[in-house]
Amino acid sequence: MVLHERPRRATRSTGTSLPEDLSSLISEDDRDAAVQRLRVAYAEGHISHEELDERLHQVLTAKTTNPANLCGHSNG
């Protein structure tokens, strides 16, 4: 008897599942644009150095274009 497994979602080398909709993955252009916007906001005095560091970390480690991930909002 052959057991059929349900197809698995693709995973990255880290073992985390990729999103169902791969179009939501952040592109390098999206990442670069977000970094540039943060630099301008800091230069114009809209955000503190601490907030710049926090948001840059979020942008540079984001996997998807979910606005909550890029705007400093949390779901907790």
Side-chain angles (χ1 to χ4, degrees), residues 2-52:
V2 176
L3 297 177
H4 296 281
E5 290 187 30
R6 182 174 155 195
R8 295 182 186 186
R9 290 177 16 189
T11 58
R12 294 181 179 201
S13 60
T14 60
T16 59
S17 295
L18 291 173
E20 291 288 332
D21 179 11
L22 294 180
S23 67
S24 69
L25 290 176
I26 193 167
S27 71
E28 287 303 310
D29 288 341
D30 292 336
R31 193 180 311 277
D32 291 343
V35 167
Q36 184 59 31
R37 286 192 303 271
L38 287 170
R39 287 180 176 163
V40 169
Y42 175 71
E44 293 178 352
H46 299 291
I47 60 175
S48 68
H49 189 266
E50 181 179 315
E51 188 169 356
L52 173 67

